[in-house]
Amino acid sequence: MLKNLILTGGMYHPFEESAATLSTVLETVGVASIITSDLDLGFDLLDTGDFDLLTVYALRWTMPQDKFAHDRAASAYTLGARQQAAMTRHLGLGKGLLALHTAAICFDNWPGWREIVGAGWTWGESYHPPLGSVGVRPTGQPHPIVGDAAPFELVDEAYTHMDIVPGLQPLLEVRSHTQTTYSPCLWTREVDGGRVVYDALGHDSTSFLHPVHQGIVQRAALWATQSLN
């Protein structure tokens, strides 16, 4: 079995339930997961070098915005140099990173995180319509993660106007039924010898259990661990 570490937790999402669902979904393709919402502990575990895959499925950032002032004590997180180094070493060993949904909002004090993931969240510009039915379609870029997937619909959030690094080639794009244009929602990157997949979908268990999206997430984990080419 491949070993996966899931870092999770945060506001506005049922992370505990959804991370457990994600773990079950990945286990069916040979990926065994350890789940923790204690991020410092998680990075200590990552630094052992024992994991083939790191999955970031969390909403933890420095929370400088005034509207989150009352939530900072419980939920704010600043990524320290030791944690940054653990992430860099993990990728440098040729291992994988699967960043899901709110992962693009995390670790905002470290510019390197945007470069790894391929996008960041810009407060005041980035947004999503309310949770609801969204349409997802392949962009036509061939890749084993997408395979021959046709356009599909699921209940999720359509992340829009993220700060995306130049030159990125999305594999999937998404829009809600209140929008007229699509936004990139899944892509791959290779960073320091490691493989990275970002999937902007994944609000809750319903998303991970959607039959098409479930297969995409499974193949994303296998690709990131270089078990699928």
Side-chain angles (χ1 to χ4, degrees), residues 2-6 22-23 25-33 52-55 90 94-100 143-145 186-188 195-199 213-229:
L2 296 165
K3 295 179 67 176
N4 176 36
L5 175 63
I6 300 177
L22 174 63
S23 176
V25 164
L26 294 179
E27 188 172 12
T28 62
V29 293
V31 180
S33 300
D52 304 289
L53 179 67
L54 169 65
T55 298
H90 175 78
K95 299 188 176 186
L97 170 64
L98 178 60
L100 296 170
H143 199 282
I145 292 177
L186 184 138
W187 54 79
T188 65
R195 288 180 170 184
V196 178
V197 181
Y198 176 67
D199 179 357
H213 189 219
Q214 178 175 306
I216 288 168
V217 170
Q218 290 169 332
R219 292 190 295 274
L222 294 176
W223 184 86
T225 57
Q226 305 196 40
S227 302
L228 179 70
N229 293 301

Side-chain angles (χ1 to χ4, degrees), residues 107-135:
F107 313 146
D108 56 316
N109 67 296
W110 184 33
W113 179 242
R114 172 184 173 269
E115 298 304 313
I116 290 171
V117 171
W121 188 269
T122 302
W123 294 91
E125 288 187 32
S126 306
Y127 74 96
H128 64 77
L131 178 68
S133 180
V134 299

Side-chain angles (χ1 to χ4, degrees), residues 163-222:
D163 179 19
I164 294 175
V165 301
L168 186 145
Q169 294 187 322
L171 304 176
L172 295 176
E173 52 189 14
V174 63
R175 71 175 182 184
S176 79
H177 293 292
T178 64
Q179 297 173 305
T180 58
T181 58
Y182 283 84
S183 297
C185 72
L186 184 138
W187 54 79
T188 65
R189 293 174 66 71
E190 298 198 17
V191 180
D192 296 335
R195 288 180 170 184
V196 178
V197 181
Y198 176 67
D199 179 357
L201 303 174
H203 177 82
D204 56 23
S205 293
T206 300
S207 177
F208 293 128
L209 292 174
H210 183 281
V212 179
H213 189 219
Q214 178 175 306
I216 288 168
V217 170
Q218 290 169 332
R219 292 190 295 274
L222 294 176

